[in-house]
Amino acid sequence: MESFRTEIENQIVQKEIIELERKIALFKDGKIDDERFRSLRLARGVYGQRQEGVQMIRIKLPFGKVSSEQLIRITKVSDEYSTGRLHITTRQDIQIHYVSLDRTPELWAQLAIDDITLREACGNTVRNITASELAGVDVDEPFDVSPYAHAMFQFFLRNPICQEMGRKFKISFSSSDKDTALSYLHDLGFIPKIVNGERGFKVMLGGGLGSQPHHAELLSEFIPVNQIIPTTEGVLRIFDRFGERAKRLKARMKFLIKDIGRDEFLRLVDEEKKALSYQTVEIDTTDFDVAIPETLLEVPKVIIEDTAAFEAWKQSNVIAQKQSGYVAIGIKVLLGDFYTDKARALADLIKNYGANELRFSLKQNIVLRNIKEKNLPFFYQELAKLDFVTLGYDTINDITACPGTDTCNLGIASSTGIAEELERVLKLEFPQYKENREITIKISGCMNACGQHNMSTIGFQGMSINAGKLVAPALQVLLGGGILGDGKGRFSDKVIKIPSRRGPDALRYILNDFEANADGLSFLDYYDTKGEKYFYEFLKPLADTTNLTDEDFIDWGNADNYVKAVGVGECAGVVIDLVATLLLEAKDKLTFAQEAFEDKKWSDSIYLAYAGFVNGAKALLLAENQKTNHQAGIIDLFDSVFVETNKITLESSLKDLVYQIKENEPSEEFAKKYIEKAIAFFENIESYRTKDLADEIANIPKSK
């Protein structure tokens, strides 16, 4: 275990890993509360599984980009600490499962050798920043968004303003107006534009899926590229301060914008301008502007025997690039699951015969990029050996599904089992749809929409259904969602709930009716023409629970009878209402503020001091059984309970004291003064708390 202390060159990462190791030990010794430890490990990519005693590890891969060296490193870690299975997520991460908690620091250290992080892959943080997998090679793109997504990732990783928000925050970069990165369902979605020769982005604000999907609103038609990071920082600051913290299901930014309105939200963002770390941030694109390198080894000449199969593969899975003579290869990965032996073979392929890069896609697939078109026969031969030439990349046959009840605590019904069955049905019974890229099918095991079921053309959500005293696995059928482009999209309607075993029949009914009655319309136009009730009526026989068989009580992919078992979700951290813990955290924040100040990081030090103010104030309010649901409320309530009643004396109201943060530029002089005031405030409240506890003890009746 100690070896990682000398292997990691990045001292910041080394310090983080050592701290995780220390916190695990404290947790096991009973010195850290279970809920507090949960939020700490989530922010470090360590996520509880449905199976007790093991963890899921989420590896954060900005916009899905991976080199051969990084892929090899991930395979080594998976083989050593997990099961050898790699799962591609809909946010372009890699997840591995069944990892011992004790080994997570060592695992992280191994990944860090090749500059791979777990940091902020889960928890109430800025999650992995996604982008169109074809960014940089897309024939329709105005410019490559990859360097801008990468700069955004680098700027906000470990940034104090987004470490302990009320809920997770998601950012995407689409490569063109086709909006393949789904800007309309992100907290911030960026679509590239060129206006009068200047690069910039159309920006969408406040979208989200989950149980209550919300279409993003327009933030701006055009923001220059050097303004995207300051704009994002302003949005994050307001979300951190005003976002809901007590009611988790209402804590995403979409609910804050709904409550106060877009205009008021943007007014608050505008008020933060002076406090921002930088007023402009120039983004260096040099590393992404280089010419495509020549292959390391000479590509062998290959003669294809089955030319029909080869041509079908090219038609289905090969994508033209904007770079003449080069193509991208789409690899359809069933359910996003593949194993380390194939990953190592892919790593060798891209290193020796490609451009040493692949990207994981939003649809849980793999894209090899910058492949010379003349080398396609060789790649077809090598990929065929790996069973990676299955037709149907990015088509109706390419079904997206979350892990569901396989490993997720929140899974209600199987999503992977039904996905496999639906793909089988499509392949055998509907071959005419094999090249259909208009209809999408997505499946989630619960309402949280990790499988994006409620934005797909045809969606299924895992549920349960009562049949007398028994409970059977069920699916809610949703129809009518899709991408419209340029920041616009539509969410699916909830049509009907049916037993899970009838999911394949539901798909048959829908596709057969579409074929018989669409009259040349697209699926979405056909759906709009017919209306939701039309589909409800012809699917209604499938919802009948009076005729269930024994098989209906066994979920897809399982051999035993269905048992509804939903655990505690870990999609975000949990609010900790422990006075002592909050005071300790406030003190830690002030220590970190001083360290950041010594490193001349004025903005970071100021925000950490701000967090110290808020945590300290919250601790005293909780001691008085006073609760509020966001940081701004904490500041106001503290003044009402303590300052205005003269229980605690400050130089001004806490509000005036704390909100100096938005009235001053992040200079050395202001940082020094602000930290000093935060420390003085903490000493004041700590003294009050000590006296308050002493008074309580003194008032306890003595036993006779």
Side-chain angles (χ1 to χ4, degrees), residues 20 23-24 26-28 31-49 52 54-56 101 104 120-125 127 163-164 248 409-410 566-576 578 581 585:
L20 176 60
K23 290 291 174 65
I24 290 172
L26 289 172
F27 170 67
K28 295 213 158 188
K31 295 177 181 176
I32 296 181
D33 174 81
D34 181 62
E35 295 302 321
R36 177 59 195 143
F37 180 68
R38 179 187 298 179
S39 66
L40 181 142
R41 64 174 167 77
L42 282 171
R44 286 146 185 84
V46 183
Y47 195 103
Q49 273 187 216
E52 206 163 322
V54 290
Q55 313 295 317
M56 178 270 281
L101 178 63
T104 53
E120 297 149 50
C122 309
N124 295 327
T125 60
R127 297 291 186 88
Q163 295 305 299
E164 296 174 335
R248 182 178 168 277
N409 269 324
L410 290 176
V566 183
V568 177
E570 295 196 342
C571 296
V574 179
V575 178
I576 312 303
L578 301 172
T581 301
E585 288 179 356

Side-chain angles (χ1 to χ4, degrees), residues 176-444:
S176 74
D177 285 356
K178 289 182 178 177
D179 201 13
T180 54
L182 314 173
S183 69
Y184 67 97
L185 52 80
H186 280 77
D187 293 290
L188 281 175
F190 295 86
I191 303 169
K193 305 284 182 180
I194 295 178
V195 175
N196 297 326
E198 182 181 16
R199 288 184 177 186
F201 290 89
K202 179 177 183 176
V203 185
M204 304 301 294
L205 171 76
L209 285 178
S211 60
Q212 299 180 57
H214 180 75
H215 196 294
E217 300 185 48
L218 178 68
L219 188 152
S220 176
E221 284 286 356
F222 185 81
I223 291 179
V225 291
N226 64 5
Q227 285 291 318
I228 62 171
I229 286 177
T231 298
T232 301
E233 181 181 346
V235 169
L236 284 167
R237 282 171 173 262
I238 295 308
F239 178 49
D240 190 38
R241 188 172 305 150
F242 292 94
E244 174 68 47
R245 289 172 183 268
K247 301 172 185 173
R248 182 178 168 277
L249 293 178
K250 297 285 186 181
R252 289 293 300 272
M253 193 173 74
K254 61 186 178 183
F255 294 109
L256 174 60
I257 294 171
K258 182 180 179 181
D259 287 345
I260 67 174
R262 169 191 175 276
D263 292 346
E264 173 62 11
F265 183 90
L266 294 181
R267 185 191 70 77
L268 292 169
V269 171
D270 192 60
E271 279 188 354
E272 291 293 310
K273 277 189 176 178
K274 185 179 282 190
L276 298 179
S277 309
Y278 305 95
Q279 295 303 309
T280 60
V281 176
E282 302 299 335
I283 294 172
D284 184 5
T285 64
T286 306
D287 290 344
F288 293 83
D289 294 336
V290 296
I292 300 171
E294 288 297 316
T295 58
L296 199 61
L297 301 179
E298 184 177 346
V299 179
K301 301 296 182 187
V302 169
I303 297 175
I304 299 295
E305 294 182 2
D306 189 344
T307 55
F310 175 61
E311 291 300 324
W313 172 76
K314 284 202 301 181
Q315 171 92 16
S316 176
N317 292 21
V318 175
I319 307 139
Q321 290 191 185
K322 68 180 184 181
Q323 295 87 354
S324 179
Y326 287 87
V327 295
I329 298 172
I331 298 173
K332 181 177 176 295
V333 182
L334 179 63
L335 305 175
D337 292 333
F338 67 118
Y339 286 84
T340 52
D341 56 342
K342 293 186 178 184
R344 281 189 290 273
L346 279 181
D348 288 342
L349 264 181
I350 62 172
K351 182 176 182 178
N352 295 322
Y353 306 109
N356 201 30
E357 178 193 330
L358 63 76
R359 295 201 187 178
F360 298 117
S361 83
L362 296 158
K363 292 186 178 178
Q364 302 174 292
N365 291 317
I366 300 170
V367 178
L368 311 185
R369 300 149 50 94
N370 297 320
I371 305 301
K372 287 186 177 179
E373 190 169 8
K374 66 180 183 180
N375 295 334
L376 278 175
F378 170 75
F379 272 89
Y380 177 74
Q381 170 188 277
E382 297 305 304
L383 292 174
K385 293 175 185 176
L386 304 176
D387 196 23
F388 271 166
V389 292
T390 302
L391 305 185
Y393 173 81
D394 201 23
T395 68
I396 186 176
N397 295 279
D398 199 354
I399 296 175
T400 301
C402 71
T405 50
D406 289 358
T407 54
C408 180
N409 269 324
L410 290 176
I412 297 172
S414 172
S415 44
T416 57
I418 182 64
E420 287 193 69
E421 180 61 18
L422 294 183
E423 288 209 8
R424 188 190 70 81
V425 168
L426 286 167
K427 183 178 180 180
L428 295 179
E429 301 178 30
F430 296 93
Q432 67 271 36
Y433 284 91
K434 65 182 180 181
E435 293 302 320
N436 185 296
R437 287 182 161 81
E438 177 209 347
I439 300 172
T440 57
I441 301 175
K442 296 177 183 288
I443 308 169
S444 298

Side-chain angles (χ1 to χ4, degrees), residues 425-489:
V425 168
L426 286 167
K427 183 178 180 180
L428 295 179
E429 301 178 30
F430 296 93
Q432 67 271 36
Y433 284 91
K434 65 182 180 181
E435 293 302 320
N436 185 296
R437 287 182 161 81
E438 177 209 347
I439 300 172
T440 57
I441 301 175
K442 296 177 183 288
I443 308 169
S444 298
C446 76
M447 65 181 181
N448 284 316
C450 295
Q452 302 175 338
H453 66 278
N454 47 10
M455 56 74 63
S456 62
T457 322
I458 302 172
F460 296 93
Q461 176 195 324
M463 306 186 84
S464 63
I465 197 166
N466 293 323
K469 294 182 179 179
L470 299 176
V471 180
L475 293 169
Q476 187 169 69
V477 181
L478 301 94
L479 296 169
I483 307 169
L484 302 179
D486 199 25
K488 296 181 180 67

